[in-house]
Amino acid sequence: MALFFVAIIIIAVGIYLGILYFQQSYADRIARDKGNLQQVEEVNLDKELAAIDRLNLTGESLTEFEKLDQDYRELKTKVIPELTDSIEQAKQYNAQYQFVKTRNEMHNYEQQSNTAINKIRAIKEQLTEIQQSADEHAKAIEQLRAKFKEMHKVLLADNAEYGDAAKPLEDRLADAEKEFDDFTAVSTSGDLVTSGKTLAELRKKMASLEELMEKIPPLQENLAHAFPEQLDEIEENFSNFTANNYAFSSDFPQLLKEIRDNRRDSLTDLKKLNITNVEGYDKKLSKAIDHAYDLLEQEYQARQHVEKQQKTLSEFIAHAVKQEHDLLIELDRIRQNYELTHGEQENAQELDKKLKAIQKDYDESLKQSSNGPVLYSAVQKKQERMKDQLTAIERRQKAIRDGVTHLWDEEKVAQQAVSAFDVQIHNMRRDVERLNLPGLKDEYLNFFFNVSDKIEQLDHSLNRLQINMDQISNMVQDTAADLTVLGNKTKKIIESSILTEQLLQYANRYRNQNAAVAQAYEKATAQFEQQYDYARALDTIATALGNVAPGIYEQLLDEYRRTNRIEYQIPDVQLTMATDDKPDEKKVHE
């Protein structure tokens, strides 16, 4: 039972504390809301309203101001007092523990209070904007009035800088001034909303006018002075050039006409203040005038170059022609003794034709320079082309000359080679004959006589009235290669035969005691005396003796090579083989 009462007491205390908590929290909230409302109540815009009222607003501005004034008065006289009463009512409900009514009352006045706070702020901001707009308009009137005055002064003082654009600029400035007067009248009357729209348009037009007045003078300067002066100078130079026998690749008078037509059209657009078109013409005219100057300068420089190079080119042609004449004579002389197998004569004659064509072209250029206007830039290009052609021709002349001048020396080398070949093959024959061998194999003899025949054929070819050095070069190299092979074969026969005879004599010591040596002796003797195969005979007897007298063959071989040094000096002849000599078609025919 006691616990029951304790629980009731605890619950009662909890309820009481909860009531106190809600009451205190609501009390704090009501106090905070009252403080916020007092801040709004303390806001006083009477001075601002009075200042705006003195502006004597009209139109939309007046309507806007009257609404702000009405909203402000309503807040001060009705809304705020009602909110104050509502806060006091909520305070009483809270003191009486009527929390539901307290909460509902607080919800209602808090929504209205927030609306009031936002509204008073908006009113204050709008009043500030109206005052700032009025101040801005007043300032703009002074600034624009000064700007109009300055523009009139500039157009009056610097009228020549604007040329035909001065009058339309003045007309446009007058239109802007009329709009300025309208703006001033509306702004002064107090209709700031309407005048604000006019001010934005007016400022845009004034900015456009200022831009025009800044851009036009340099454009007018070009159209009125710079371009005409440059055109006069170009025309004067053109007249002087044509009087001095100059020609031009383009229709120069047509170019000047187009420049003048574009200038005329640009002046028309300037008068209409179509500045974008005028700027386009300005760039186009500058480019065209520069092009005209470039054409004049190009032909002037070309003439200087042509006249300076004329003598040099003439000497170049003469030098190439002389070299060609000498080359043809040289080739004709060489043909008496040598066959020209690489088209040297034909190529030289082709170069001669090209030289005659260049000479003709050069002579025609001189004739044209004397008889009529000359396009010197074209003549300069022709001169450069001729120089390239002549350079290519002289390079080919040298190649042809170098290809035949060595023939005399190569013939001499070939003659010396034949003599050396003859000496060496006689030495081989003599060395073999000294051995008094029973005979030689047909293979060796056939090869020997074949090489001997080649030497005789080579000698015969060299003694012809007109020789073919390409053929002789091939024969020399082929004969030298075969003679080298023959020399190796001959040295092998000599070495094998001498060593075989020595080993056979040594074998006599063992022939009666060793059947294998006796058998090898008989076989080697047959190979030596009947088959003439000295290398096989040496191998047969050396193998048999190696079993009974190891090292004897190596000993005799070393001794032989130490005391016998048979060398056949076959000359290493390298004759220059000429290649087909054809002109550099790309340069010669350009």
Side-chain angles (χ1 to χ4, degrees), residues 194-409:
T194 302
S195 62
K197 297 175 183 178
T198 305
L199 178 60
E201 290 296 322
L202 183 58
R203 280 176 169 167
K204 185 177 179 180
K205 289 183 178 180
M206 290 299 290
S208 176
L209 269 171
E210 285 182 302
E211 184 179 8
L212 287 174
M213 292 182 68
E214 181 180 351
K215 286 183 175 181
I216 288 174
L219 296 172
Q220 168 66 17
E221 169 63 21
N222 282 344
L223 290 171
H225 300 103
F227 291 160
E229 290 173 3
Q230 289 171 334
L231 277 171
D232 290 342
E233 182 180 37
I234 290 171
E235 286 186 335
E236 182 181 356
N237 286 331
F238 177 68
S239 297
N240 291 335
F241 274 42
T242 53
N244 283 279
N245 215 32
Y246 281 88
F248 292 86
S249 57
S250 61
D251 190 344
F252 209 87
Q254 178 61 30
L255 174 62
L256 297 181
K257 181 180 182 302
E258 289 175 0
I259 293 174
R260 293 199 179 279
D261 290 345
N262 287 332
R263 175 178 173 273
R264 183 192 63 240
D265 294 340
S266 182
L267 287 169
T268 300
D269 280 321
L270 183 65
K271 192 173 183 179
K272 296 176 181 179
L273 301 183
N274 294 332
I275 298 304
T276 301
N277 289 351
V278 176
E279 289 176 328
Y281 276 121
D282 186 79
K283 292 179 181 178
K284 187 176 181 180
L285 286 165
S286 295
K287 187 176 180 180
I289 288 173
D290 288 344
H291 178 57
Y293 274 119
D294 289 342
L295 288 175
L296 292 171
E297 179 66 17
Q298 173 183 294
E299 293 307 317
Y300 175 78
Q301 293 296 338
R303 182 168 186 170
Q304 302 304 307
H305 185 275
V306 166
E307 292 177 349
K308 182 178 180 181
Q309 292 296 317
Q310 209 158 45
K311 182 180 178 182
T312 302
L313 186 59
S314 176
E315 292 173 349
F316 199 167
I317 293 172
H319 182 264
V321 169
K322 182 180 183 304
Q323 285 201 147
E324 182 65 23
H325 177 263
D326 294 343
L327 176 61
L328 290 172
I329 293 175
E330 178 72 7
L331 290 176
D332 188 60
R333 183 175 63 83
I334 290 174
R335 279 198 313 155
Q336 307 303 315
N337 299 303
Y338 301 95
E339 292 181 15
L340 299 179
T341 57
H342 297 278
E344 293 90 347
Q345 189 73 23
E346 294 79 3
N347 290 334
Q349 290 173 349
E350 183 65 22
L351 293 179
D352 187 59
K353 291 179 182 178
K354 300 304 176 186
L355 280 171
K356 289 177 180 177
I358 292 172
Q359 181 69 66
K360 181 180 178 182
D361 200 6
Y362 176 79
D363 294 339
E364 288 178 353
S365 295
L366 289 180
K367 184 178 179 181
Q368 182 183 0
S369 300
S370 303
N371 295 338
V374 179
L375 182 61
Y376 285 101
S377 57
V379 175
Q380 181 181 357
K381 290 180 180 178
K382 183 181 289 187
Q383 284 184 340
E384 296 299 329
R385 187 167 60 250
M386 287 180 181
K387 285 173 63 178
D388 290 342
Q389 291 174 333
L390 290 168
T391 300
I393 287 172
E394 289 203 343
R395 185 169 59 249
R396 300 315 303 160
Q397 288 173 338
K398 183 178 184 303
I400 295 171
R401 185 180 298 105
D402 291 345
V404 296
T405 52
H406 68 280
L407 294 175
W408 302 98
D409 294 334

Side-chain angles (χ1 to χ4, degrees), residues 17 31 53 128 133 142 181 309 316 330 437 472 570:
L17 290 174
D53 187 51
T128 300
S133 179
E142 293 303 318
D181 293 340
Q309 292 296 317
F316 199 167
E330 178 72 7
L437 296 174
I472 287 172
I570 312 301

Side-chain angles (χ1 to χ4, degrees), residues 149-166:
K149 183 178 179 181
E150 178 64 24
M151 285 182 167
H152 278 299
K153 181 179 178 182
V154 169
L155 285 175
L156 183 63
D158 304 327
N159 190 271
E161 291 187 9
Y162 295 92
D164 291 340

